[in-house]
Structure formats: structure tokens, C-alpha cells
Amino acid sequence: EVQLLESGGGLVPPGGSLRLSCAASGFTFSTYAMSWVRQTPGKGLEWVSSISGSGDGTTYADSMKGRVSISRDNSKNTLFLQMDSLRAEDTAVYYCAKSDCSPIGCKLLPIWGQGTMVTVSS
Amino acid sequence: DIQMTQSPSTLSASVGDRVTITCRASQSISSWLAWFQQKPGKAPNLLISKASTLQSGVPSRFSGSGSGTEFTLTISSLQPDDFATYYCQQYSSASPTFGQGTKVEVK
């Protein structure tokens, strides 16, 4: 069974940093692109970033470009999202999602984790 | 970015009703459109890809149609388990975008 399990969320003050992780199982991790998508009550679902299966290609939403970095460790079947200079408007549930193919252009997301809550507040 | 606009935002319906949700793209996305269902506290669940391809395990009462800039999701006979929020998502561009959601509630 394909599973994605996010961790690393929590309460962080404005300007702080957080590193999210997503542990994958049930599929050959290195052969699929992965993405992070966040959800807020006000703005709904928003794509944050994607990384190719090999890790050599990354893309970012303009809203978070320069403040986030996506990476993966294919030897440990784990996806990461490093978030810096966090703002109140970054408060959201962050989901990791598996694409249906490997290249960075693969943006169909058939499988999602359960999400991890990030709250940016003093 | 490609903007995705869903209508209506909220839809009140009864069990057995035929329900249609519309999604419009700000520019042509060919058929690179997905539909998701989301229930409170849960992750979105993919129902349909490529505008009209039903995912495995999804009941046949769900169907999708459209291409270019206008798409629809239809539930032929609404069941109790279908009360949820539905989102469209384009995956045509490097930056995928979602509609704002349509909540299907009990009339």
C-alpha cells in the first residue's frame, strides 16, 4: 500500500524556520516526482513546490520562492521542505503528494499524505 | 499563473439529485484537469484525471467532461457519502493551480 507520512509541523514565530519531512512507502520512491501542497481556510489549496524523481529538477511557487527549498533522500525514501523567514500567512496544513511519473513536469497528484499543520505566530 | 474558477461555491442538494460543478481556466489547458474530493480533516482524494478519466475505485456516478477552458464534474445520483468539497486542478503548466472549491451540502 502506498503511504506518505508527513512530520515536522508545529508552532513557529514569524521569521522562524521549519523543516518538514515526508516518509514514503509502498512504491519505488526514486521513480516519482513529489510535491508539497498547502491548504489554508482563506486561500484553499496552493501548490508550493515539486521535485523530480532523481532530485535534479525543482520548481517553486512564486509566493514562497527564495524562502523554501525542496529536497529528497532517495536512499531513505524521504521528501523534505525547508521553510525559512516564515510569515503568518504561511500558516496552513502542508501535504506531500506523489506524482504519477518522474520528470519535474509531472504535476498530477494521485496520492497525498495526511498533512502536517504549520502555525506561524508569536 | 493559470487561474481556475469554480462555480458554484456552495451547492445544496438532496440524495438522488444530479449535481454539476463547473471549472473554468483562464487559458487553455487542453485536457490537463483533475477533480478531487475532500472531506473535513482529510487529504484531497483524486477522482478524475485528464478531464474525464475515472480513477480506479471511484464510483461510476462520477463523470468529468470538457477541454480547453471549460470543464464539468457531474454526479449522476448524489449519495450520502458524496457530501464533501470538490476541487479542480490544472496540471498543464509548471505551476499547477486549484479552483477555490465547491462545497456540496445537504439541502
Side-chain angles (χ1 to χ4, degrees), chain A residues 37 39 44-47 59-62 95 105 107-110 112-114, chain B residues 1 34 36 38 41-44 46 49 55 87 89 91 93-96 98:
Chain A
V37 178
Q39 186 169 30
L45 290 164
E46 180 184 18
W47 169 78
T59 54
Y60 298 94
D62 288 343
Y95 294 100
K107 298 286 172 46
L108 176 64
L109 306 174
W112 296 51
Q114 88 292 345
Chain B
D1 288 358
F36 291 86
Q38 187 179 32
K42 300 293 187 181
L46 179 65
S49 63
Q55 298 303 289
Y87 295 92
Q89 179 225 334
Y91 53 105
S93 73
S95 299
F98 295 83

Side-chain angles (χ1 to χ4, degrees), chain A residues 5-105:
Chain A
L5 186 61
E6 301 95 336
S7 61
L11 176 64
V12 59
S17 297
L18 213 54
R19 189 192 198 203
L20 306 183
S21 299
C22 173
S25 61
F27 64 100
T28 305
F29 184 66
S30 62
T31 60
Y32 292 94
M34 298 292 293
S35 296
W36 288 97
V37 178
R38 67 183 182 179
Q39 186 169 30
T40 63
K43 293 187 71 176
L45 290 164
E46 180 184 18
W47 169 78
V48 173
S49 180
S50 297
I51 186 168
S52 63
S54 63
D56 61 356
T58 58
T59 54
Y60 298 94
D62 288 343
S63 62
M64 297 201 80
K65 198 174 290 183
R67 299 190 298 121
V68 297
S69 177
I70 191 171
S71 61
R72 64 193 296 160
D73 184 339
N74 286 345
S75 69
K76 296 183 178 178
N77 293 347
T78 304
L79 175 72
F80 302 100
L81 185 70
Q82 175 68 40
M83 301 190 294
D84 301 316
S85 303
L86 284 164
R87 308 165 180 164
E89 55 264 36
D90 295 322
T91 295
V93 175
Y94 285 75
Y95 294 100
C96 72
K98 169 187 171 290
S99 295
D100 64 333
C101 53
S102 181
I104 191 60

Side-chain angles (χ1 to χ4, degrees), chain B residues 25-86:
Chain B
S26 60
Q27 64 189 73
S28 177
I29 58 170
S30 184
S31 295
W32 303 116
L33 184 99
W35 288 99
F36 291 86
Q37 177 192 68
Q38 187 179 32
K39 296 183 178 179
K42 300 293 187 181
N45 178 49
L46 179 65
L47 299 175
I48 288 170
S49 63
K50 214 167 181 185
S52 61
T53 301
L54 204 64
Q55 298 303 289
S56 175
V58 175
S60 59
R61 61 181 179 271
F62 291 92
S63 64
S65 64
S67 66
T69 62
E70 189 151 339
F71 303 85
T72 59
L73 172 70
T74 300
I75 309 173
S76 60
S77 177
L78 195 68
Q79 297 303 300
D81 191 47
D82 301 339
F83 291 100
T85 300
Y86 294 84

